[in-house]
Amino acid sequence: MDIKESVRHELRAISEHIIDLSHRIHASPELGFEEHQAVTWTTDLLAAAGFDVEVGICDLSTAFRARVGNGPLHIVFCAEYDALPVIGHACGHNIIAATAVGAGAAAAKVADDLGLTVTVLGTPGEEAGNAGGKILLLERGAFEGVDVAMMVHPAPFDALAPSIIAASMFDVHYTGKEAHAAAFPELGVNAADALTIAQTAIGLLRQHIRPTDRIHGIVTHGGEAPNIVPGFTSARYMVRATELRELDELRGRVHRCFDAGALATGAQLDIIGGDRPYAEMRHDAVIGAAYRRNSERLGRSFAPPSPAVVRMAASTDMGNVSLRIPAIHPSIGIDSWPAVNHQREFAAHCVTPTADRAVLDGALAMAWTAIDVARDEVTRKHVQGLARGSAEAG
Ligand SMILES: [Zn+2]
Ligand SMILES: [Zn+2]
């Protein structure tokens, strides 16, 4: 039997468990860095598939490494499993965890024949927006010696190289001074006014930024009562731009809007976080082309990017991985349009039969892509050259 068909066979044999994993994670959403149940279920399945499993790597209790084989070509499938506050698995990370397990278990069967080391890396807290799990794992060495990193992310449509831009998330704190809002307002320093001024300044700034930039945030604390001059307010903001370089510049301008709030009111400003931004994604074209061929063989299609796909601007800590290691992060369609990621309606789509098919297709397409990388000398040299080159470049 053809090696790809035998891998398909392997995956089919465990497909029920893979789908069950996707559904279980979906039914019990856990926030970033607290995904204990998801990690237990995911690693149980990997252990059953013959992987050596280590949970709690790199000082992250919900990160794990599951490894099979010891060949010279090291391929990592990244599993995410964190959910969003309130709206649960509205980014479909249940599908990501399940595809990574499926791909890993399928590729594991041919690891020795193809000279592969296969790792499924459990990467927590992708939705964190700053210092996400993959950034911490990169800093702490979890990707050392890795030649290729792959994952697929659910989306309304299949897209080979979705636009993934740099992002920074940070908290803003204003500390003013409480006072009776009617009797002695002149004794107060209004921390809510500081936030209002900052938001107004950001609103005006929007006229003068690139169409590809994004600034968005929420007020996380607005005050205590209308008859108390707010002595403390806070907000959480994200700033995004096409690349880290542009992000740095934009972030400086947004920070000055927050400075303006402090200056005008006399409240004290503290900006917390934003120190480890998400990088733009560099999709590896050679691995991507293999993934595309494999997906198409499964009957999936990659329409020319529609205006909606082109203007889409998401961010992920996989971007940081991709600047160091050849990587792919295609979108896998679950036919949810007009429901899009980060909506309750999208969460509902992430356990439909279409989503389940995406789990199995994504897993198989990634496993087949690993086979292509291993068997094609040119591709193998391409990824190993890039991975080593970037390691040497630091
Ligand atoms: Zn998301
Ligand atoms: Zn996501």
Side-chain angles (χ1 to χ4, degrees):
M1 197 191 297
D2 169 69
I3 189 167
K4 285 191 175 175
E5 283 310 310
S6 79
V7 160
R8 189 207 291 260
H9 216 69
E10 292 296 341
L11 184 65
R12 201 172 282 153
I14 55 165
S15 61
E16 257 178 57
H17 301 294
I18 305 287
I19 298 301
D20 179 58
L21 175 68
S22 171
H23 289 200
R24 278 165 86 177
I25 294 175
H26 187 274
S28 301
E30 297 167 294
L31 293 179
F33 302 106
E34 298 170 9
E35 315 97 323
H36 295 283
Q37 283 185 309
V39 167
T40 302
W41 297 329
T42 306
T43 52
D44 280 354
L45 208 48
L46 287 161
F51 282 74
D52 287 327
V53 176
E54 231 184 306
V55 175
I57 58 166
C58 300
D59 289 327
L60 298 168
S61 63
T62 57
F64 70 82
R65 179 190 290 118
R67 186 165 289 175
V68 151
N70 54 9
L73 182 69
H74 189 174
I75 294 190
V76 161
F77 300 107
C78 293
E80 295 175 4
Y81 27 68
D82 59 324
L84 290 155
V86 183
I87 57 173
H89 273 293
C91 209
H93 294 186
N94 57 304
I95 292 173
I96 299 176
T99 47
V101 172
K109 298 292 175 190
V110 294
D112 290 342
D113 295 341
L114 295 176
L116 291 177
T117 299
V118 176
T119 297
V120 177
L121 196 62
T123 66
E126 188 280 329
E127 297 286 359
N130 181 60
K134 291 184 206 67
I135 293 174
L136 300 176
L137 289 167
L138 264 175
E139 286 177 3
R140 298 173 190 177
F143 285 90
E144 289 307 316
V146 173
D147 296 301
V148 176
M150 288 190 226
M151 61 176 285
V152 294
H153 196 301
F157 328 99
D158 283 87
L160 192 58
S163 163
I164 291 174
I165 65 175
S168 173
M169 181 151 83
F170 51 87
D171 286 303
V172 176
H173 292 182
Y174 283 116
T175 309
K177 188 174 172 51
E178 290 88 358
H180 192 293
F184 295 104
E186 68 274 21
L187 299 180
V189 174
N190 194 320
D193 287 353
L195 205 43
T196 303
I197 289 162
Q199 288 176 311
T200 306
I202 290 168
L204 294 169
L205 176 64
R206 288 186 203 282
Q207 185 186 351
H208 307 287
I209 61 177
R210 290 168 288 254
T212 45
D213 293 337
R214 299 283 190 278
I215 309 164
H216 45 98
I218 58 164
V219 174
T220 49
H221 191 84
E224 309 301 337
N227 58 359
I228 308 171
V229 170
F232 177 79
T233 56
S234 63
R236 179 165 287 176
Y237 261 74
M238 291 190 79
V239 177
R240 310 194 199 217
T242 306
E243 300 177 350
L244 283 174
R245 198 170 36 83
E246 291 182 350
L247 179 72
D248 265 357
E249 180 259 340
L250 178 63
R251 198 165 37 162
R253 296 171 77 190
V254 172
H255 281 192
R256 287 201 293 282
C257 295
F258 288 108
D259 288 340
L263 184 66
T265 60
Q268 184 192 312
L269 167 67
D270 292 293
I271 293 182
I272 298 128
D275 51 337
R276 273 113 123 200
Y278 287 18
E280 67 274 15
M281 177 84 202
R282 191 185 290 158
H283 300 276
D284 186 276
V286 176
I287 308 170
Y291 176 84
R292 179 183 182 138
R293 281 194 305 276
N294 289 317
S295 284
E296 285 173 345
R297 181 167 160 184
L298 295 171
R300 306 193 76 87
S301 65
F302 297 85
S306 65
V309 170
V310 170
R311 64 161 293 285
M312 194 190 92
S315 309
T316 166
D317 50 7
M318 191 66 170
N320 302 65
V321 175
S322 78
L323 297 190
R324 294 266 292 275
I325 295 159
I328 59 166
H329 182 288
S331 297
I332 190 149
I334 61 167
D335 220 2
S336 62
W337 186 259
V340 298
N341 302 57
H342 294 206
Q343 287 184 316
R344 288 173 197 273
E345 293 81 358
F346 190 83
H349 274 279
C350 286
V351 281
T352 55
T354 320
D356 295 346
R357 195 192 136 210
V359 166
L360 299 177
D361 285 355
L364 192 54
M366 284 200 289
W368 281 355
T369 300
I371 292 171
D372 288 340
V373 173
R375 285 202 301 189
D376 185 75
E377 256 330 288
V378 176
T379 309
R380 194 171 175 130
K381 286 213 171 83
H382 159 77
V383 298
Q384 287 185 318
L386 283 176
R388 287 187 191 138
S390 68
E392 275 156 25

